[in-house]
Amino acid sequence: MADMLNSIDESFFSVDQNWDVTFANQFLLTRLGKSKDEVVGKPVRKLTPEGMFERLSSEFKKVAYERSSTRSEVYDEPTRTWYELHVFPIKGGIGTHILNISDRKKAQEVQIRLAAIVESSDDAIVSKDLNGIVQSWNRGAERVFGYSAEEMVGNHISIIAAPDRINEMPAILQRVRSGQRIDHYETKRKRKDGVIIDISLTVSPILDPSGRIIGASKIARDISERKRMDAELRATNVALSRANADLQQFAYSASHDLREPLRMISIYSQLLKKNYGETLDERANEYLRYSIEGARRMEQLVKDLLEYTRANVADAEPPLTDANAALQNILPQFGPMIEENQASITFDSLPEIRMHSVHLEQVFQNIISNALKYRREEAPRIHVSAGKVRSEWIVSLQDNGIGIDQRYAEQIFGLFRRLHTNDEYAGTGVGLAICRNIVERYGGRIWVTSKPGEGSTFFFSIPDRAESMVQADTPTLV
Ligand code: ADP
């Protein structure tokens, strides 16, 4: 017997009626770092740590009094170890078996924590056996499906099946039986109150320690609200794009149809002035001048508005346009202005950009005409250059004009936004809005940096989509 107790990796010892040690097995002696002679025949107090002795002595008393065994758990603070004490009566004394149960305790703690997580989860977490009988049902499941754990545990999961998904559950269980997992499967279930809800399901097999599949665990998230919001968002998007298209159509027709009557006002006012100007008094002539000027300005506005609506045309796969050529194309129209202002326009070698040439030309044209218009005393100097930043081309147009207070750097790109009156500089406030519209259509941005009195630099970026596509498609060699 002593041989056997000496050969196991657990502590054993016994005491006589005076609580003097009569036996200590080899494992315990090694743990204590003592020899048999140092222990046997000595009071048990010598053998045990302080905290442990109190506990032991109370167990000993119980066993001595009741002559039956006790089992208890003790935590030894200094060594952070959990022990199980098994104290039992033996002939002429008491035997004690001490078992280190720290690992078991840790596992229990993990389980308690996991159980708390399962309980506090908003998602329904349910386990069932391979026949679909519910084994566990957390609070989340109570909330999502309306059934309590008492109502569900031991019953078949088909209670929550939606009428048109009756066949789905056996199919899911079949897949689980063959060891498969089901991830984020969107389906419908019926709540206790009869309401059908949308859920997202993740089901995985539960294995026993031998690796055998014994059931399924299922996490179900109520996605009814998300589904409802998705549908609402889709409907809003449709309504928005319809409204947008209507608005564009309206702006286009309005500006198109306005041109004709405007021309009439303009022509007849001019005829009136030409044929009857002499006979009219000065005041009448002044009124006439105002209406001619008003009509001219309105014509310009309408023309710009038309351009603005045209710039809204989207294109999935824009062509590559040589920016040098685009710039060369528009320069001749600035010929007289350049000469008159003694301006110079220079540019670096520019790249090919993914835009329709008309659009690129329009952007260049608007920014350059502003640079010539908003000039200072000294002759205008404009320089165009471009650089690649990651997968975008960034084009910059620098001028030495009057500049813009940085506070207005954002708002000048808004429709009809101007920083000057028409007397100071003629304009409609549409040019930069057109530029922004065009650039954003191509997935780019437009901005300005400037110092009043020193000049401005306008930047716009255009993604080089072909390149990002090539990068994404390039196979990696492993
Ligand atoms: P418009 O020139 O017809 O007024 P834009 O939309 O082209 O309209 O420009 C909006 C405003 O931005 C202009 O009224 C002007 O105040 C300012 N702006 C544009 N370009 C420049 C520039 N290069 N230098 C200084 N101010 C500018």
Side-chain angles (χ1 to χ4, degrees):
M1 184 67 172
D3 280 352
M4 196 182 87
L5 292 178
N6 274 330
S7 66
I8 62 170
D9 288 344
E10 290 164 20
S11 303
F12 268 102
F13 70 91
S14 57
V15 296
D16 61 17
Q17 276 134 349
N18 301 324
W19 295 7
D20 287 338
V21 176
T22 50
F23 172 78
N25 77 339
Q26 196 50 53
F27 184 78
L28 179 59
L29 290 173
T30 313
R31 292 289 307 275
L32 295 171
K34 294 196 166 146
S35 71
K36 199 164 133 197
D37 294 341
E38 285 174 283
V39 171
V40 175
K42 306 281 173 349
V44 73
R45 178 184 278 275
K46 294 240 163 115
L47 191 102
T48 48
E50 207 37 49
M52 190 84 104
F53 177 73
E54 270 171 40
R55 189 57 182 272
L56 255 185
S57 61
S58 92
E59 299 299 316
F60 280 4
K61 279 179 200 152
K62 263 192 251 168
V63 170
Y65 183 69
E66 291 170 9
R67 300 304 299 166
S68 66
S69 61
T70 65
R71 227 176 247 281
S72 57
E73 288 177 356
V74 196
Y75 183 61
D76 184 40
E77 185 69 49
T79 57
R80 297 189 173 177
T81 314
W82 275 98
Y83 293 103
E84 185 181 85
L85 289 182
H86 183 202
V87 183
F88 45 91
I90 56 172
K91 202 158 160 238
I94 295 170
T96 304
H97 172 202
I98 305 173
L99 200 60
N100 183 334
I101 54 163
S102 291
D103 288 346
R104 193 169 83 201
K105 275 284 184 191
K106 242 179 243 153
Q108 269 172 5
E109 243 171 62
V110 170
Q111 276 209 319
I112 288 169
R113 247 180 236 154
L114 280 179
I117 293 172
V118 168
E119 264 317 284
S120 62
S121 167
D122 264 349
D123 292 336
I125 302 178
V126 171
S127 65
K128 53 196 177 186
D129 68 13
L130 288 177
N131 298 317
I133 302 297
V134 174
Q135 310 287 318
S136 70
W137 187 261
N138 75 337
R139 247 184 252 146
E142 294 188 351
R143 269 194 298 270
V144 172
F145 299 111
Y147 289 98
S148 67
E150 290 82 62
E151 287 171 302
M152 286 306 289
V153 173
N155 285 318
H156 201 268
I157 190 75
S158 60
I159 294 176
I160 58 164
D164 60 338
R165 313 270 163 146
I166 292 286
N167 298 329
E168 195 177 88
M169 285 180 168
I172 290 177
L173 279 172
Q174 190 49 44
R175 281 180 65 177
V176 169
R177 265 189 216 110
S178 63
Q180 288 179 48
R181 194 184 139 95
I182 294 153
D183 270 319
H184 308 298
Y185 173 63
E186 294 194 1
T187 181
K188 293 184 187 296
R189 291 289 179 264
K190 195 173 76 181
R191 267 192 350 212
K192 189 179 179 183
D193 60 9
V195 173
I196 304 293
I197 53 170
D198 290 291
I199 59 164
S200 161
L201 263 190
T202 295
V203 187
S204 9
I206 301 176
L207 309 179
D208 73 4
S210 70
R212 207 162 48 95
I213 299 168
I214 52 166
S217 77
K218 148 174 139 174
I219 302 180
R221 174 163 297 181
D222 186 350
I223 53 167
S224 307
E225 183 64 6
R226 198 192 80 201
K227 283 260 176 191
R228 198 185 56 70
M229 273 161 60
D230 279 356
E232 229 169 62
L233 204 65
R234 263 198 305 276
T236 314
N237 267 343
V238 169
L240 206 63
S241 34
R242 193 174 301 142
N244 213 2
D246 286 352
L247 206 63
Q248 276 208 28
Q249 184 58 40
F250 169 76
Y252 182 81
S253 327
S255 40
H256 198 260
D257 297 348
L258 276 175
R259 293 186 95 176
E260 192 49 37
L262 259 176
R263 278 237 314 277
M264 304 285 271
I265 298 174
S266 186
I267 287 169
Y268 283 101
S269 310
Q270 280 171 35
L271 278 177
L272 197 62
K273 185 173 162 43
K274 194 172 153 211
N275 297 336
Y276 300 94
E278 307 257 295
T279 54
L280 295 172
D281 67 11
E282 199 177 319
R283 186 180 281 188
N285 260 309
E286 195 189 351
Y287 292 166
L288 207 49
R289 254 202 328 279
Y290 287 151
S291 41
I292 291 171
E293 177 51 27
R296 201 196 54 71
R297 201 167 141 59
M298 184 111 170
E299 254 184 307
Q300 187 59 42
L301 268 169
V302 165
K303 199 169 138 270
D304 284 357
L305 212 54
L306 255 176
E307 299 269 4
Y308 181 76
T309 52
R310 281 203 195 111
N312 275 330
V313 184
D315 200 333
E317 208 29 74
L320 273 177
T321 293
D322 179 359
N324 302 288
L327 208 49
Q328 295 285 12
N329 280 348
I330 56 145
L331 285 183
Q333 76 188 65
F334 290 113
M337 254 182 114
I338 291 174
E339 211 166 294
E340 198 177 295
N341 288 295
Q342 293 178 314
S344 77
I345 302 182
T346 53
F347 53 100
D348 298 340
S349 165
L350 300 175
E352 289 193 317
I353 295 183
R354 283 208 169 264
M355 284 176 90
H356 283 287
S357 56
V358 274
H359 286 150
L360 184 56
E361 285 172 16
Q362 174 105 59
V363 173
F364 278 150
Q365 188 179 319
N366 290 359
I367 298 177
I368 290 173
S369 82
N370 280 346
L372 292 169
K373 182 161 62 169
Y374 299 104
R375 58 168 290 188
R376 278 183 296 145
E377 273 296 296
E378 61 183 272
R381 271 181 291 108
I382 301 162
H383 184 71
V384 188
S385 53
K388 186 92 176 262
V389 178
R390 277 182 227 107
S391 56
E392 281 185 330
W393 280 112
I394 296 186
V395 182
S396 64
L397 294 100
Q398 186 179 19
D399 67 41
N400 60 341
I402 58 171
I404 300 156
D405 189 328
Q406 204 58 34
R407 271 182 299 171
Y408 306 116
E410 179 61 36
Q411 54 166 276
I412 55 169
F413 297 98
L415 195 56
F416 303 131
R417 288 306 183 94
R418 310 203 62 220
L419 303 180
H420 305 279
T421 64
N422 232 22
D423 293 338
E424 294 172 302
Y425 298 94
T428 55
V430 180
L432 289 179
I434 292 180
C435 293
R436 183 167 74 177
N437 225 341
I438 292 177
V439 166
E440 287 183 353
R441 283 274 149 173
Y442 287 93
R445 289 159 293 126
I446 186 165
W447 68 101
V448 65
T449 59
S450 180
K451 260 212 174 123
E454 287 184 23
S456 320
T457 307
F458 283 82
F459 298 90
F460 65 91
S461 68
I462 297 289
D464 201 9
R465 260 181 274 178
E467 184 173 272
S468 34
M469 261 151 47
V470 169
Q471 277 174 354
D473 289 348
T474 309
T476 31
L477 296 175
V478 189

